[in-house]
Amino acid sequence: MVLGFTGTLPVALIGLLSIILLVYGAEIVVSKMEGVAKYYGVSEVVIAMTIVAIGTSLPELALHLIGSANILLSTQSPLQLFLVDPGVVMFGNHTEAANLLVQQGKITGAAAANSSEVFMGTSGAVLGANIGSDVVQQTLVLGLVIMSSALLADKHSFKFSEKFLIRDYAPMMGTTLMTLILALNWRGVISFLTGGSLTVSGTLTRLDGLVLVGSFIAYMLYLYTTRTEELASQGDVEASQRPLADFLIGIAAMGLVIGSAEIFLRVVEVAVAQTGLSESMIGVATVGIVSAFPEMITAISGLRHGSEGVSLGTLIGSNITNPLLAIGSGAIISTYAVPRPLVLWDLPMETVTAGLLLAYMFSKEKVGTKLAKPFKIIGLDSVARRLENTENRKLSIAGAFLLVLLYFVYIYVRFTYFQYDFAH
């Protein structure tokens, strides 16, 4: 039951509304707090590294923080979870800590079992929403943004700057790969390689969370030391004319974000029971899409005004903040059980897609020259000349369309072959 409703349609509508309010509330928080900070003379660089950087991933971050809090509270003795064996606290998962509390007589076996279910389900929902949002932005949104910018400029292609690909796109791919490495069950992989059964569903421990958050801090320090001018140009919000009122509106909007995140997680529980879909599937197919629209609109608007670095940087920056800060913070609080589809399909697909696109952007001329040769042999000189004239770092409208198509291939494979989060 969600807000007194149990029917599939009312619950679905409540879920959709909660996601919209989650995203809209985050937009209000960022704009109001940025205006207040400018009123009090906070530097543009500090604003960009705090309010703007975190604000791009505020919906996902809110889901993780609320979800992790729910996991801890499900044991009815949340503080005791941090007082069990230090090794389990840092290197184990929530279920292992709850089982230790049962052995110590501090909670019942039934409470531990219920908490373990909450742990698995909530982990799937928040991780699915996070990674789903990244995949949407990296394929569907990036493709639509490039198509839109090319058409608005009356061009047939869009050329990335080398600086953007190296300083923004490559780190994004690195964060996805790091998340995949940390999320894998390496004991299960080694067991499979030595003749045992394959178990890939791993755990994001508190140590893993510290690695992710530490990497986010290191990345922000890198931006601060190398890109101060570009950071200062981000954001077009004017200084607030009524700081106290805007501050209170921002706080109220934050309450809206937190409440919407809590309602969404309740909707996920009901939806799983009613539809049989996995928690991560619901996260991928809902929050992933809706939360990407504000960034898509911002990116298209920026490109229309010739601000490639700011617009695409915001889009890609969100894909860096999501895994490092949002997943990392949640893992520090409660640890996460990583669903099987995330390590077998979502994260590998996201990493490989980014890697192939990056390699293609820097090797288009060589690839075009080689492909032109067979067309010359068979007499298709016009096709050969077109291939020989290809430029590095330039993506055509057709290439952008392939990115959009790739998203639908991703969703189809996800729904067809990766329906369950854990052993079923």
Side-chain angles (χ1 to χ4, degrees):
M1 180 181 294
V2 181
L3 300 180
F5 294 93
T6 57
T8 302
L9 181 59
V11 169
L13 291 175
I14 291 172
L16 178 60
L17 181 61
S18 71
I19 298 170
I20 294 173
L21 292 177
L22 179 68
V23 175
Y24 179 65
E27 292 287 306
I28 295 176
V29 171
V30 173
S31 64
K32 295 301 180 183
M33 293 306 181
E34 187 176 347
V36 171
K38 287 184 177 180
Y39 174 85
Y40 286 106
V42 179
S43 75
E44 298 278 358
V45 174
V46 172
I47 292 172
M49 293 181 63
T50 53
I51 298 173
V52 176
I54 295 173
T56 57
S57 297
L58 190 55
E60 292 85 359
L61 182 60
L63 280 176
H64 278 278
L65 296 180
I66 297 300
S68 291
N70 287 345
I71 290 172
L72 294 182
L73 293 172
S74 66
T75 61
Q76 300 174 359
S77 299
L79 294 179
Q80 295 293 333
L81 292 167
F82 296 93
L83 301 177
V84 296
D85 182 84
V88 173
V89 172
M90 286 302 298
F91 307 109
N93 60 43
H94 177 80
T95 297
E96 292 171 344
N99 289 337
L100 276 180
L101 290 181
V102 173
Q103 295 175 16
Q104 296 171 2
K106 295 178 179 178
I107 62 173
T108 65
N114 176 69
S115 184
S116 181
E117 288 185 11
V118 173
F119 171 58
M120 305 279 274
T122 303
S123 294
V126 297
L127 291 174
N130 190 305
I131 302 304
S133 175
D134 288 354
V135 173
V136 171
Q137 292 181 41
Q138 190 176 306
T139 54
L140 179 65
V141 173
L142 185 59
L144 290 175
V145 167
I146 292 171
M147 290 169 65
S148 300
S149 63
L151 292 172
L152 288 170
D154 196 23
K155 297 179 180 179
H156 299 291
S157 61
F158 178 86
K159 189 167 185 176
F160 294 95
S161 69
E162 183 175 356
K163 187 162 54 176
F164 168 76
L165 290 173
I166 294 176
R167 299 204 309 190
D168 292 290
Y169 200 83
M172 180 202 72
M173 183 180 67
T175 60
T176 306
L177 181 60
M178 180 192 302
T179 306
L180 175 60
I181 291 172
L182 294 175
L184 267 174
N185 184 337
W186 286 102
R187 291 181 181 177
V189 173
I190 294 172
S191 172
F192 175 73
L193 294 176
T194 55
S197 58
L198 176 62
T199 304
V200 294
S201 298
T203 298
L204 285 169
T205 65
R206 290 187 173 87
L207 178 61
D208 296 330
L210 288 171
V211 170
L212 291 172
V213 173
S215 298
F216 174 76
I217 295 172
Y219 179 68
M220 296 310 294
L221 289 174
Y222 161 75
L223 293 183
Y224 178 75
T225 56
T226 62
R227 304 173 67 180
T228 303
E229 292 183 3
E230 292 178 39
L231 284 172
S233 68
Q234 292 194 31
D236 55 359
V237 176
E238 298 294 332
S240 173
Q241 300 299 314
R242 40 176 198 165
L244 179 59
D246 284 345
F247 177 77
L248 294 175
I249 292 172
I251 294 297
M254 179 61 75
L256 180 65
V257 169
I258 294 171
S260 299
E262 174 65 30
I263 291 172
F264 172 75
L265 291 173
R266 291 185 185 179
V267 168
V268 170
E269 293 179 13
V270 175
V272 169
Q274 292 182 346
T275 66
L277 292 174
S278 67
E279 287 88 348
S280 71
M281 184 86 76
I282 295 172
V284 163
T286 54
V287 176
I289 295 177
V290 178
S291 65
F293 278 110
E295 280 137 348
M296 180 177 71
I297 294 170
T298 300
I300 292 175
S301 176
L303 287 170
R304 286 181 64 185
H305 294 90
S307 304
E308 176 203 326
V310 174
S311 58
L312 289 181
T314 299
L315 185 66
I316 299 303
S318 175
N319 279 21
I320 294 174
T321 307
N322 279 351
L324 296 186
L325 183 61
I327 294 179
S329 298
I332 290 173
I333 295 171
S334 67
T335 76
Y336 287 129
V338 182
R340 178 174 167 270
L342 263 68
V343 292
L344 285 181
W345 176 242
D346 298 342
L347 286 168
M349 188 269 185
E350 186 182 356
T351 305
V352 171
T353 300
L356 289 176
L357 181 61
L358 189 64
Y360 178 64
M361 287 292 98
F362 281 109
S363 60
K364 277 193 73 176
E365 293 175 5
K366 292 182 180 180
V367 173
T369 301
K370 290 182 180 180
L371 291 177
K373 293 179 181 179
F375 285 100
K376 278 186 176 180
I377 295 173
I378 61 177
L380 296 176
D381 293 337
S382 61
V383 176
R385 281 195 298 273
R386 185 178 299 176
L387 289 170
E388 288 175 337
N389 291 331
T390 54
E391 296 181 47
N392 283 347
R393 310 193 314 275
K394 183 175 283 189
L395 191 65
S396 66
I397 291 178
F401 176 76
L402 286 177
L403 281 177
V404 174
L405 182 62
L406 188 61
Y407 170 72
F408 292 100
V409 171
Y410 158 75
I411 286 293
Y412 173 78
V413 173
R414 185 63 153 82
F415 272 76
T416 305
Y417 300 104
F418 298 100
Q419 298 178 0
Y420 305 112
D421 283 348
F422 302 99
H424 195 276

